[in-house]
């Protein structure tokens, strides 16, 4: 999920992180068993997360990094679809989101993902060789950075931009590039990625145009696949095409040699 206030045209930093405090939905509302986690980062920030073990025959474990808006309470449908497919899921909120302490920053999201990965690997029954990182929009930048340091079995990028600068050019055309931080340089990082990658994007995404998915795909040097989902936008992709989305993930993961 990537949110942009198009009316007020706020400064870029104000749109990069749009956390919502308070988690108003929990996995049990979708019939999922879960465990609340307190996850402490290397710099001492306590994050909130959910461990959602699948009740189906297990095919893998997913570390899920969400987009720039809302919090993990808005991603229960994502977790439900993955759990029903046979994936354990660890959902976590970045610092400053939901019930997590601290204030969000690019560096902070990287530290947060490392702590969440450690928490995932500590859960019963987790096999590191079947661990996948899934990043939604901004979360794609988070998991790409993590994957370069700690390669997983595979990386899934859903609605992920090629760079923050590229997003800024789409929505703030008059803003000089040197005023935009070179944050989450995904197309550059994906060229260094050793893990297989599945890139998924809505064909009618008007916040992060599908051309940016093609840019990421072209830059990826390793094993890669691209799925463009017809009639899906940015924030409605999983709502409109959740089954198609998760079926592609399941099929792709089953073809990877572990």
């Amino acid at each position: 999920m990537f949110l942009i206030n198009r009316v007020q045209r706020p400064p870029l930093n104000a749109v990069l992180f749009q956390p919502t405090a308070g988690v108003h939905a929990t996995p049990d509302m979708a019939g999922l068993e879960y465990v609340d986690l307190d996850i402490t980062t290397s710099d001492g920030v306590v994050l909130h997360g959910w461990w959602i073990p699948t009740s189906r025959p297990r095919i893998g474990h997913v570390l899920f990094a969400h987009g720039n808006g809302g919090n993990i309470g808005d991603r229960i449908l994502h977790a439900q679809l993955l759990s029903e497919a046979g994936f354990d899921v660890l959902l976590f909120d970045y610092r400053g989101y939901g019930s997590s302490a601290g204030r969000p920053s690019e560096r902070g999201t990287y530290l947060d993902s490392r702590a969440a990965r450690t928490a995932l690997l500590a859960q019963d029954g987790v096999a590191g060789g079947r661990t996948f990182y899934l990043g939604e929009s901004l979360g794609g930048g988070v998991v790409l950075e993590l994957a370069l340091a700690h390669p997983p079995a595979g990386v899934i990028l859903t609605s992920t931009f090629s760079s923050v600068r590229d997003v800024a050019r789409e929505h703030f055309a008059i803003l000089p590039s040197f005023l935009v931080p070179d944050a989450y340089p995904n197309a550059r990082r994906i060229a260094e990625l050793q893990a297989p990658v599945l890139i998924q994007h809505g064909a009618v995404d008007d916040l992060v145009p599908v051309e940016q998915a093609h840019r990421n795909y072209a830059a990826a040097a390793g094993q890669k696949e691209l799925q463009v989902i017809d009639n899906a936008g940015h924030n409605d992709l999983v709502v409109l095409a959740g089954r198609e989305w998760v079926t592609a993930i399941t099929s792709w993961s089953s073809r990877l040699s572990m």
Side-chain angles (χ1 to χ4, degrees), residues 1-2 16-17 66-68 94 109 136-142 161 184:
M1 181 181 293
F2 198 89
L16 193 54
F17 301 107
H66 63 68
N68 79 322
Y94 312 121
T109 61
E136 172 204 43
S137 191
L138 179 139
V142 176
F161 48 83
Y184 303 105

Side-chain angles (χ1 to χ4, degrees), residues 25-84:
T26 52
D28 58 316
M29 295 179 179
L32 301 172
E33 294 187 4
Y34 74 103
V35 177
D36 271 305
L37 300 177
D38 288 332
I39 302 169
T40 303
T41 67
S42 62
D43 60 342
V45 178
V46 179
L47 310 177
H48 174 235
W50 290 326
W51 171 241
I52 306 171
T54 184
S55 61
R56 306 295 174 87
R58 180 182 287 121
I59 60 176
H61 329 285
V62 171
L63 178 65
F64 190 106
H66 63 68
N68 79 322
N71 59 50
I72 56 174
D74 305 313
R75 277 74 181 188
I76 291 173
L77 175 59
H78 303 64
Q80 180 183 8
L81 291 166
L82 290 164
S83 178
E84 290 175 350

Side-chain angles (χ1 to χ4, degrees), residues 175-244:
L175 190 65
S177 294
F178 69 85
L179 292 179
V180 181
D182 190 20
Y184 303 105
N186 298 326
R188 188 168 74 238
R189 282 184 173 148
I190 203 170
E192 303 173 29
L193 184 67
Q194 298 300 310
V197 61
L198 171 64
I199 299 171
Q200 301 173 294
H201 216 94
V204 292
D205 190 327
D206 64 348
L207 293 180
V208 179
V210 70
E211 288 78 16
Q212 296 197 29
H214 286 285
R215 194 172 301 153
N216 286 334
Y217 180 78
Q223 186 176 348
K224 57 187 177 180
E225 291 189 24
L226 173 64
Q227 177 195 26
V228 176
I229 299 175
D230 292 339
N231 303 315
H234 193 79
N235 296 324
D236 62 1
L237 187 150
V238 172
V239 173
L240 295 178
R243 294 294 173 187
E244 183 179 355

Side-chain angles (χ1 to χ4, degrees), residues 67-134:
N68 79 322
N71 59 50
I72 56 174
D74 305 313
R75 277 74 181 188
I76 291 173
L77 175 59
H78 303 64
Q80 180 183 8
L81 291 166
L82 290 164
S83 178
E84 290 175 350
F87 291 101
D88 301 319
V89 181
L90 193 146
L91 275 171
F92 70 101
D93 267 326
Y94 312 121
R95 59 190 68 201
Y97 283 74
S99 301
S100 293
R103 298 181 63 179
S105 67
E106 181 186 7
R107 178 178 179 273
T109 61
Y110 299 152
L111 296 177
D112 298 343
S113 69
R114 281 160 168 72
R117 173 183 175 272
T118 298
L120 170 63
L121 295 176
Q123 302 305 312
D124 289 341
V126 171
R130 292 295 302 176
T131 297
F132 300 89
Y133 303 160
L134 194 162

